[in-house]
Amino acid sequence: MTISLETAASTNASSVVSSHFINGEWTDAGGPTFPVHNPLNGELVGEAAAGGSAEARAAVEAAAAAFPAWANLAPGARQLLFLKAADIVERRTEELVELMAVEGGASRAFSSFQIRLSAAMLRQAAGWGYLPAGDVLRSDVPGRTATVTRKPLGVVAGFTPWNGAFYLAWRTFLLPMAFGNTTVIKPSELAPRSAGLVHAEILEEAGFPAGTFNVVTHAPGEAPAISDVFFESPAVRCINFTGSDRTARILGAQAGRALKRMVLELGGFNPVLILDDADVEESIRAVTFGAFLHQGQVCMNSRKVYVHSSLHDEFVAGLKARVETLKIGDPRDPAVIIGPLINDGAVEQIAARVQDALDRGAALVTGGTADGRLYPPTILSHVPADAICSTGADETFGPLLVIEAFDDAEEAFRASQNTPFGLSASIMTRNRARGLDLAARFDTGIIHINAPTMASEASLPVGGVKDSGWGRSGYYAIEDFTEVRLTTVSREPGRYPF
């Protein structure tokens, strides 16, 4: 396993930001701020504004005031804005790669992946305004015409995460905006610029109207001051949250009291089933990517592999050899694939779960020893079912993969479903019909055959079931960010019972 701690040359793409973005304006500097640190080495990369309820209310008011004009903007005008934003994203690629490295520990491979997806999503959303706006329905009442149209909700408040920050932030606010809503974003305090503020820079340059997109940042531990405003304000019609199921339960309780609509993109356990007829080399490649992209800090990362016993030894040996070639170190080095975990708590969680499994009799295939916040891809086999990392009851957010051999595919399938999560899963088999039959039985929002659990495209409807949340991305998000309105017109006098 190659570990490189050499630091690439610094650039000026650090997260030096001390302003919120409200109503098309960067607020004056000089208020309270909080530090943002590089997860690799703890170096200060910037200061961000420490906002609270006053800033959140101002942002919501700005979004509410901008909503009528944005909702009624001609689709061609909105299209030009989205297309220009996509061009700006691509033009700023090198700066964005640097930003995601120093603020979130993203490798060049992962940050480039996010940039491509973001530009593609912007260009796809640019055309949605020209899609049919509704339906004409038949009525049993003579002379009556019934139409159903979709209308934007109003203000959508979004919570954007630190992991996959750049792309997931676009997904959080772009989808509501594409359907005519205005937005307020609260980025993670761990990556405030790559999770929201840099997007404001891009949309401002693209010429988006003031108030359509607003960003309020906060210091660690101060999120409730902002989120409370979102739930209390009548103007906010929907909360769009990407994060953990634990935080979602807290927000969901608030949403229930406030009768707010919520869209939730949460965690996943994301099993892989490698059947006895699978291509072993392709399975190794898919699992390596699916398990260890961004150090296992993505909700769709593979967490457990069930491999047929006839392929087990070959698969484990090949996987071990492959992951040990992945370079670990400063994500600004283009050769590095595995960067740092986001903070010390993340390292401690992985270390504790690896040790728990080893104490219960698991075998360490590779990895398992941290170097600061650099934690190598770690593979465990022969893990007892009661080990925390193996139960599927809680998401282990990092580069830890559990491998379990099976003889009976039906038993492996049932075991893979014994989890409260239902985000993604993969089946590796040469028999596509067999794969489709098995896939139909999975209780997940996503199921891939002969592809990683991480397979993603901007146009595809990503989302989970059970404790992995509800709602979908892509055009299917129209169900979450619009409401259906029935309008009838009667051409003949009505007939009434009284």
Side-chain angles (χ1 to χ4, degrees):
M1 190 80 64
T2 303
I3 297 180
S4 171
L5 288 173
E6 296 180 1
T7 302
S10 298
T11 75
N12 62 358
S14 61
S15 184
V16 182
V17 176
S18 59
S19 300
H20 310 287
F21 187 71
I22 300 173
N23 201 28
E25 299 288 340
W26 296 97
T27 60
D28 293 337
T33 63
F34 66 95
V36 181
H37 299 282
N38 186 328
L40 175 68
N41 51 29
E43 289 182 353
L44 181 70
V45 295
E47 298 279 337
S53 56
E55 290 80 9
R57 279 193 291 270
V60 170
E61 290 169 1
F67 170 66
W70 178 252
N72 290 295
L73 189 66
R78 193 181 297 164
Q79 181 181 58
L80 291 175
L81 293 171
F82 287 138
L83 293 176
K84 187 172 182 180
D87 291 341
I88 296 169
V89 167
E90 291 179 336
R91 191 194 75 218
R92 295 181 65 171
T93 289
E94 290 305 315
E95 175 194 352
L96 293 170
V97 166
E98 171 79 8
L99 172 63
M100 284 183 261
V102 300
E103 204 175 53
S107 68
R108 185 178 189 90
F110 185 48
S111 56
S112 299
F113 175 69
Q114 292 184 66
I115 291 167
R116 289 194 301 272
L117 281 178
S118 299
M121 184 167 55
L122 279 160
R123 293 190 173 112
Q124 289 166 12
W128 291 348
Y130 288 107
L131 294 174
D135 301 289
V136 179
L137 306 181
R138 296 183 183 279
S139 172
D140 285 332
V141 177
R144 174 179 291 174
T145 299
T147 60
V148 173
T149 54
R150 287 193 174 273
K151 299 292 184 181
L153 302 175
V155 178
V156 175
F159 296 71
T160 61
W162 56 264
N163 64 313
F166 185 71
Y167 172 65
L168 292 179
W170 281 112
R171 198 173 73 184
T172 299
F173 69 82
L174 172 61
L175 300 178
M177 291 183 69
F179 298 121
N181 303 282
T182 52
T183 56
V184 180
I185 298 300
K186 184 208 77 63
S188 167
E189 68 275 21
L190 298 175
R193 189 164 177 225
S194 52
L197 289 169
V198 75
H199 303 75
E201 297 173 12
I202 292 168
L203 297 191
E204 181 185 34
E205 182 181 347
F208 277 68
T212 55
F213 176 72
N214 305 270
V215 185
V216 178
T217 55
H218 64 86
E222 300 300 322
I226 295 173
S227 62
D228 286 350
V229 171
F230 293 166
F231 286 104
E232 294 165 1
S233 171
V236 175
R237 298 290 303 280
C238 179
I239 306 293
N240 191 9
F241 173 77
T242 300
S244 72
D245 62 302
R246 290 181 293 277
T247 302
R249 294 177 198 280
I250 297 170
L251 298 179
Q254 287 184 278
R257 290 191 295 270
L259 293 179
K260 296 282 187 188
R261 182 185 300 204
M262 289 196 76
V263 177
L264 301 173
E265 162 75 49
L266 309 178
F269 195 62
N270 312 318
V272 180
L273 268 63
I274 302 177
L275 304 185
D276 57 359
D277 62 349
D279 181 323
V280 175
E281 180 57 32
E282 180 62 20
S283 298
I284 290 168
R285 295 174 62 246
V287 169
T288 301
F289 176 81
F292 300 118
L293 179 68
H294 195 43
Q295 302 82 259
Q297 297 178 121
V298 180
C299 57
M300 290 189 291
N301 281 126
S302 308
R303 306 299 178 192
K304 190 170 184 177
V305 174
Y306 299 83
V307 57
H308 193 270
S309 57
S310 65
L311 306 179
H312 176 271
D313 292 352
E314 180 185 0
F315 173 77
V316 171
L319 184 65
K320 177 180 185 293
R322 188 172 185 87
V323 301
E324 288 181 350
T325 67
L326 303 180
K327 188 175 182 180
I328 305 170
D330 190 325
R332 287 174 290 183
D333 179 346
V336 164
I337 300 299
I338 306 295
L341 296 183
I342 190 64
N343 54 32
D344 292 338
V347 177
E348 291 164 4
Q349 186 204 58
I350 295 291
R353 294 191 177 186
V354 169
Q355 191 60 52
D356 170 72
L358 295 176
D359 290 345
R360 296 173 189 270
L364 180 66
V365 175
T366 188
T369 303
D371 184 348
R373 290 182 180 169
L374 294 173
Y375 203 99
T378 298
I379 302 171
L380 298 174
S381 65
H382 302 93
V383 181
D386 59 352
I388 299 172
C389 63
S390 186
T391 63
D394 189 28
E395 184 178 29
T396 301
F397 214 59
L400 174 58
L401 182 68
V402 173
I403 299 178
E404 181 174 315
F406 70 86
D407 292 310
D408 186 295
E410 181 62 26
E411 290 182 3
F413 164 73
R414 287 198 297 267
S416 75
Q417 298 301 282
N418 188 25
T419 170
F421 297 106
L423 182 55
S424 184
S426 289
I427 301 168
M428 306 301 293
T429 175
R430 286 187 170 95
N431 187 330
R432 287 178 288 178
R434 182 187 184 193
L436 286 168
D437 287 343
L438 187 57
R441 299 168 56 200
F442 270 78
D443 195 9
T444 56
I446 308 162
I447 179 73
H448 299 289
I449 300 172
N450 296 328
T453 57
M454 280 292 303
S456 184
E457 296 179 45
S459 60
L460 302 182
V462 171
V465 298
K466 301 191 292 185
D467 287 3
S468 291
W470 57 75
R472 294 293 182 270
S473 63
Y475 180 72
Y476 289 86
I478 193 171
E479 300 290 343
D480 302 309
F481 300 120
T482 63
E483 55 192 2
V484 171
R485 175 177 298 174
L486 171 65
T487 303
T488 69
V489 177
S490 296
R491 298 186 299 276
E492 300 178 12
R495 299 177 182 179
Y496 309 103
F498 59 88

